Amino acid sequence: MRLLGYYLFHTIVNGIKKLFRTWVAVLLGFFVVCGLLGGVVGYTLGSLEGEYSSSYEEDTYIEEDLPLTPEDTAAMMTVLEMAAGGIILLVLLLNVYSADKSGTKIFTMPDVQFLFTAPMKPQSVLLFRVVLQMGATLLASVYLLFQIPNLVLNLGLDMGMVLTLIACWILTLALGQLLTVLVYTLIATHPRFRPVVRYGVFGTVGVLGALLYGTMQVQQLSLPAAAVWLFGSPYTRLIPGVGWLKAMVGFAAEGDWLPVVGCGLATVALCALIVFLTWRMKADFYEDALAAATEKQELLNAAAEGRAAKRKKERADRIHRDVLRHGQGGWMFLHKGVVNHHRFAALRVLSPTGITYFCVYVLASVLILLLGGTEEADGLLWVPAVVVAVIAFFRNLGNPVEEDMRGHLLYLVPDSPRKKLLAALLAGSYATFMDVLPGLVVATLLLQGSVMEAVGWLAFILTLDFMVSALGLLLGMGLPSSLPDQVHRLLQLMCKMLLVMLPMVMALVLGFMWSVTAGLLTAAGVQMVLGLAFFLPAGALLHGGRR
Amino acid sequence: MLEVSHLTKRYGKVFANQNISFALPEGSITVLLGPNGAGKSTTLKAIMGFLRYEGNITVDGLPNKGVAAKRLLGYVPEMPALYPNLTVAEHLEFVARAYRLKDYKAYADELLDRMELTDKKKKFGDELSKGMQQKLSICCALLPRPKYVLFDEPMIGLDPHAIKELKAMFTEMRAAGCTLLISTHIIDSVDALWDQALIMQAGQVLAAVDAHWLEQAGETLEQLFFRLTEQSAEGV
């Protein structure tokens, strides 16, 4: 613990010291001040509104909503608990499934030199890193505390419920991380268990699906009713881990606080048991960890030295290797992007991202059709489109031209900086267009949606991608390279989250007031303008804006 | 004594080490020579317990992967890697805590002084040049005063003064009873330092010779190295 505390304290303090050596501290200060001002203004407006509405209520008769029946309340609670259970199960299964890779990835090369060589059990070394990761998770969860007023005031949840939700989330993350460690220790030491774990995860999902189908058939119930019958049963609260965590939410919704505490404590005990099992297990994972740490170090060195990292595997022979023959000057970056997109795509059309988008569109559309039928599906194209827009946004959290900058290619090509950057950005837009289009077309056909709305979604997602990429470019060029990666990522995320609010609100307001297509096209126009506004100064940052 | 017995390490069908056996006599310097890809680094990593392998490795009779054996071992990797958010002084403090050392401060200062890092104490890991990182890596490995120290290409990246100082430290450590295993492919860098040499190629030890025997045979280490490795490459 002394070692962990020492490392943690100095890493955090030194990280902050490094941060304050750069102008980014001013930017972070700006965000904090904005947050505080926003809070004060919001609180003041809220108080004024409260006073106004109480005086208004005295004078006017307000038609009250019909009170919920006990059956409605019970149904809502069951759905809430089931949703929580679904999310918890998903998080835990993902942790187990990815344990092989994520377990190895937690180590860095300095760990090899300083911890693997030290007189410590491998489990201690592993727990050192895991505790650090859990600390980082907890630190990130502090953000949730700021959401308490929002959840209490806007969603009308009581304080106990909000605290339970936060505690449940933190416990889920902790349990997931410890499961990762346990599974990783097991499969790294006994590789024969690797397929068992993989098939076990798929098997669990399969068994749950089979149980659901069986319930539908035996009880003669619809899909939602069968799901409630099966997963909403009070007996599911007895399942260790998932059941206890979802029971916390269920009992909190019922206002029964003692079992909430009991379930929370039981989960903590389960976490302790997992730590104990990990500790007792014979562990020999240094070889895999060393390989992963070496690979990571190679990437870090490549980034620091401005060169591309060596590929781990050779590309397959079927890939076209001699097609990069066109494109002049700066436009070469556009041509390179287009060629590479098709070069590595399945059937020369669908990139891995395109396949993901396609699956999202098709699965969401099929689910809508299964649950609601063709009549209910009318006007629901927004469901898969929103999911794809969110994925497109989160895929775009870095600097889009980072690879070209690392290889110095962007600096070396003798052409106008703006032309080079525009070409690189347009290459990204082309890839997004090719990724989004096939799925969107299929979803529109399946859901019999409006063509104009589909065009609106395409324009919205493309311009969203362009705007976020342009901001990423500006930040990537403007932020000091000495900043830690985490700070780079944090700033990119914060700025982009703030930026996306404006077009999102516009699309929503106009969508409700007028039509979805109008809202989407207006928001697309705004995104295009904002994207250009970010792109123009970025050009000036690349070798002083001169040719 | 550090003993390696029938060490075999395979990556798929490729043998990185093939049935290697040797022992390091106490208070001696052994050099592990070989061309690139001979399996030198793999041997060191196997001794340090980083790899899964066939065979047996013991340190003073203790299994090398155990906590007790690790107290006796020190390791300087080929590529130094430091924590970017810890300073030079904090790296040493970190090592001292990991090994639960007491009264180490004077020795830490001495090591930093000899490696000319005293004025860099407050520099962060990622602010040091490659050579300085290597120097700090050496200081960290030597701080717990291990009985056996494994050096993987220790001279690479060091300036002439540091190389001279490191060579002096090798001799001092041997005099103090410490056992060193130095892996290198630059024969000149270990000239006149070694007591035993292991010449490796293609994962196998071609020869294990001691300095007196070679001297009496009237051959230099360089001559022996080229004679054996070139013969082996030609399949003689």
Side-chain angles (χ1 to χ4, degrees), chain A residues 3 6-7 10-11 14 18 21 109-111 113-114 116-119 129 188 284 286-288 305, chain B residues 9 50-52 65 67 70-71 81-85 90 93-94 97-99 124 126-127 130 137 140:
Chain A
L3 186 70
Y6 182 83
Y7 179 82
H10 286 274
T11 300
N14 292 341
K18 275 182 166 179
R21 284 182 192 173
M109 209 54 196
D111 292 338
Q113 186 174 347
F114 297 107
F116 288 17
T117 56
R129 268 286 153 211
D284 189 1
Y286 281 171
E287 182 169 333
D288 309 299
E305 290 165 14
Chain B
K9 174 64 196 169
F50 296 164
L51 307 177
R52 285 184 284 264
K65 290 190 178 181
V67 172
K70 292 217 163 175
R71 284 200 181 282
L82 306 174
Y83 291 114
N85 279 354
E90 285 162 1
E93 173 82 26
F94 182 78
R97 283 170 187 258
Y99 282 80
F124 291 113
D126 60 355
E127 290 173 346
K130 276 272 158 64
S137 178
C140 289

Side-chain angles (χ1 to χ4, degrees), chain A residues 177-293:
Chain A
Q177 216 140 32
L178 290 171
L179 271 177
T180 302
V181 174
L182 179 71
V183 174
Y184 171 64
T185 312
L186 178 75
I187 58 182
T189 312
H190 308 285
R192 65 180 182 281
F193 287 117
R194 197 164 280 148
V196 177
V197 169
R198 288 260 161 110
Y199 293 132
V201 171
F202 288 123
T204 308
V205 176
V207 166
L208 290 176
L211 282 173
L212 188 60
Y213 182 74
T215 310
M216 282 169 72
Q217 297 302 314
V218 173
Q219 303 284 336
Q220 295 293 307
L221 294 170
S222 65
L223 181 67
V228 170
W229 191 89
L230 187 65
F231 302 122
S233 158
Y235 294 111
T236 55
R237 292 178 173 180
L238 299 174
I239 301 168
V242 183
W244 298 342
L245 284 166
K246 96 179 176 75
M248 279 176 77
V249 179
F251 285 125
E254 291 160 12
D256 206 352
W257 300 109
L258 198 64
V260 172
V261 177
C263 289
L265 289 175
T267 312
V268 172
L270 182 64
C271 289
L273 178 69
I274 294 174
V275 172
F276 176 75
L277 288 175
T278 310
W279 182 258
R280 297 289 298 173
M281 201 179 285
K282 184 179 173 291
D284 189 1
F285 53 79
Y286 281 171
E287 182 169 333
D288 309 299
L290 175 67

Side-chain angles (χ1 to χ4, degrees), chain B residues 8-22:
Chain B
T8 297
K9 174 64 196 169
R10 256 184 297 203
Y11 291 105
K13 289 178 183 170
V14 180
F15 282 91
N17 287 155
Q18 204 170 350
N19 200 22
I20 290 176
S21 295
F22 62 86

Side-chain angles (χ1 to χ4, degrees), chain A residues 148-404:
Chain A
I148 291 177
N150 183 26
L151 293 169
V152 172
L153 295 172
N154 296 333
L155 277 184
L157 300 177
D158 69 56
M159 185 61 96
M161 183 69 195
V162 172
L163 290 176
T164 305
L165 284 175
I166 292 175
C168 180
W169 180 240
I170 290 173
L171 281 173
T172 304
L173 293 180
L175 185 62
Q177 216 140 32
L178 290 171
L179 271 177
T180 302
V181 174
L182 179 71
V183 174
Y184 171 64
T185 312
L186 178 75
I187 58 182
T189 312
H190 308 285
R192 65 180 182 281
F193 287 117
R194 197 164 280 148
V196 177
V197 169
R198 288 260 161 110
Y199 293 132
V201 171
F202 288 123
T204 308
V205 176
V207 166
L208 290 176
L211 282 173
L212 188 60
Y213 182 74
T215 310
M216 282 169 72
Q217 297 302 314
V218 173
Q219 303 284 336
Q220 295 293 307
L221 294 170
S222 65
L223 181 67
V228 170
W229 191 89
L230 187 65
F231 302 122
S233 158
Y235 294 111
T236 55
R237 292 178 173 180
L238 299 174
I239 301 168
V242 183
W244 298 342
L245 284 166
K246 96 179 176 75
M248 279 176 77
V249 179
F251 285 125
E254 291 160 12
D256 206 352
W257 300 109
L258 198 64
V260 172
V261 177
C263 289
L265 289 175
T267 312
V268 172
L270 182 64
C271 289
L273 178 69
I274 294 174
V275 172
F276 176 75
L277 288 175
T278 310
W279 182 258
R280 297 289 298 173
M281 201 179 285
K282 184 179 173 291
D284 189 1
F285 53 79
Y286 281 171
E287 182 169 333
D288 309 299
L290 175 67
T294 309
E295 201 181 311
K296 200 190 277 182
Q297 189 66 30
E298 167 66 16
L299 284 171
L300 287 172
N301 290 346
E305 290 165 14
R307 60 182 166 81
K310 209 164 42 178
R311 287 192 66 77
K312 197 178 168 191
K313 284 183 183 168
E314 286 295 313
R315 298 271 197 202
D317 288 337
R318 64 178 174 77
I319 287 168
H320 283 203
R321 290 163 191 275
D322 53 354
V323 283
L324 197 62
R325 288 188 292 261
H326 305 289
Q328 296 283 318
W331 292 117
M332 186 271 292
F333 289 100
L334 172 60
H335 184 71
K336 178 170 78 79
V338 172
V339 165
N340 275 340
H341 179 82
H342 292 290
R343 197 200 309 251
F344 302 122
L347 305 170
R348 305 257 178 274
V349 178
L350 278 177
S351 71
T353 312
I355 293 171
T356 309
Y357 291 170
F358 189 84
C359 291
V360 169
Y361 272 122
V362 173
L363 285 176
S365 305
V366 169
L367 209 61
I368 288 169
L369 288 171
L370 276 177
L371 291 175
T374 28
E375 295 83 25
E376 297 285 322
D378 187 33
L380 286 181
L381 181 62
W382 66 269
V383 177
V386 164
V387 178
V388 168
V390 169
I391 300 174
F393 173 78
F394 280 101
R395 280 195 75 250
N396 225 328
L397 286 183
N399 175 4
V401 296
E402 200 170 357
E403 202 179 310
D404 289 325

